[in-house]
């Protein structure tokens, strides 16, 4: 008799978060990426929100330190690809801005 093993679905970095809202626009935006691997502690923006360069958009824990990830340009949050508690690698796409 064969044992059937069910595997949990893999979490793919850059995939839209299941609990996230739908994108504001279907056109491609500019990504804001994680500068280092770590765990997402807070997401401080929502889709459709206008952001300014320098504004903190995500708080990432890496090496037991909290790191504020700022927007590097002005725009409107189009999509959020991560959720709080998720572990991400360096260069993971966090947020798409149009």
């Amino acid at each position: 008799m064969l044992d059937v093993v069910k595997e949990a679905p893999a979490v793919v970095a850059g995939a839209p978060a299941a609990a996230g809202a739908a994108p504001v626009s279907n056109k491609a935006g500019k990504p804001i990426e994680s500068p280092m691997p770590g765990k997402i502690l807070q997401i401080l923006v929502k889709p459709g929100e206008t952001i300014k360069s320098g504004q903190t958009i995500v708080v990432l824990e890496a090496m037991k330190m909290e790191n504020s990830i700022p927007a590097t340009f002005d725009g409107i949050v189009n999509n959020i690809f991560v959720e709080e508690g998720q572990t991400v690698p360096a260069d993971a796409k966090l947020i798409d801005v149009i």
Side-chain angles (χ1 to χ4, degrees), residues 33-90:
E33 299 175 338
S34 175
M36 64 192 84
K39 180 179 177 181
I40 304 296
L41 294 181
Q42 289 181 296
I43 300 171
L44 303 173
V45 295
K46 294 181 176 20
E49 185 174 333
T50 300
I51 59 172
K52 296 283 185 187
S53 181
Q55 175 182 344
T56 300
I57 55 167
V58 172
V59 178
L60 176 79
E61 179 183 46
M63 299 183 294
K64 300 187 182 198
M65 294 180 63
E66 290 185 9
N67 301 278
S68 296
I69 309 301
T72 51
F73 45 84
D74 296 349
I76 298 171
V77 176
N78 183 41
N79 204 354
I80 299 173
F81 296 101
V82 294
E83 55 188 29
E84 292 179 358
Q86 181 179 344
T87 301
V88 296

Side-chain angles (χ1 to χ4, degrees), residues 23-32 47-51 73-79 95-98:
V24 173
S25 171
N26 288 331
K27 68 180 184 180
K30 297 194 301 191
I32 296 178
E49 185 174 333
T50 300
I51 59 172
F73 45 84
D74 296 349
I76 298 171
V77 176
N78 183 41
N79 204 354
I95 293 177
D96 186 51
V97 179
I98 52 174

